[in-house]
Amino acid sequence: CTSCGKKSMPIQVQEKTQNEESDGSDSDQSELEITTFVHQCSNEGCGHVIAEHFHRFHVESNRQEYFMECLLCGRGTDSSLIHRGTAAEDDPYVNIKQELEAADEAKAKETPEQKKAREDMFEALANTVPVIDENEDNDSATDWD
């Protein structure tokens, strides 16, 4: 602290939060939250204000915008998309699981001729993949220790 000359972690005091919403004139409502506080010397009897901290959080359409500015903490911004779907819709594995279930259902309904054709196709594919003998493998990139 420049006032008392002691080194200690500053404390946060006088926190104020202000929330505002737009009047909703368009279909995308926005919200704005502004938080301010001061970093103050933590030594008893000093109370020197070291820096004022400003933080703004703004939601508009499908984005969250963050802005922070402080002489002590620095300045920063961030922006991120908001996923408004359900957790299941946001999970990439849900679609894969649904596709696998649909494939299993299709396999259960296939005729013996369709099953034979599918098995023949996979066997033909398996036979086209080259098998490299250990002695012929000169590529060290595929060696796994």
Side-chain angles (χ1 to χ4, degrees):
C1 174
T2 59
S3 183
C4 67
K6 295 184 180 178
K7 292 182 180 181
S8 63
M9 289 296 293
I11 57 173
Q12 297 175 4
V13 294
Q14 300 175 5
E15 183 169 332
K16 298 175 188 168
T17 303
Q18 176 183 1
N19 292 315
E20 296 178 6
E21 288 189 19
S22 70
D23 56 4
S25 57
D26 58 349
S27 62
D28 295 327
Q29 280 201 333
S30 62
E31 300 171 12
L32 177 67
E33 179 181 287
I34 297 174
T35 304
T36 58
F37 58 86
V38 294
H39 294 287
Q40 184 176 341
C41 179
S42 61
N43 291 320
E44 285 187 38
C46 182
H48 175 245
V49 174
I50 299 168
E52 292 186 24
H53 189 102
F54 173 83
H55 180 256
R56 182 180 69 218
F57 172 73
H58 181 71
V59 176
E60 189 167 330
S61 297
N62 62 343
R63 300 200 67 78
Q64 292 181 340
E65 305 285 337
Y66 303 89
F67 174 77
M68 185 268 307
E69 185 174 38
C70 175
L71 287 174
L72 182 64
C73 301
R75 180 183 289 173
T77 61
D78 189 26
S79 179
S80 61
L81 288 173
I82 300 171
H83 299 285
R84 296 197 187 268
T86 64
E89 291 171 346
D90 291 339
D91 187 355
Y93 296 104
V94 168
N95 291 336
I96 295 170
K97 184 179 178 186
Q98 290 171 348
E99 289 174 13
L100 289 173
E101 288 171 354
D104 288 342
E105 287 176 16
K107 268 196 240 179
K109 294 177 183 176
E110 69 186 0
T111 65
E113 295 82 19
Q114 291 171 325
K115 182 178 179 181
K116 173 103 171 80
R118 181 175 48 83
E119 290 172 349
D120 289 346
M121 179 187 67
F122 282 115
E123 185 177 343
L125 285 172
N127 290 333
T128 60
V129 175
V131 177
I132 300 174
D133 187 4
E134 267 184 47
N135 299 329
E136 296 175 12
D137 184 13
N138 297 325
D139 183 9
S140 60
T142 59
D143 295 340
W144 303 96
D145 293 328

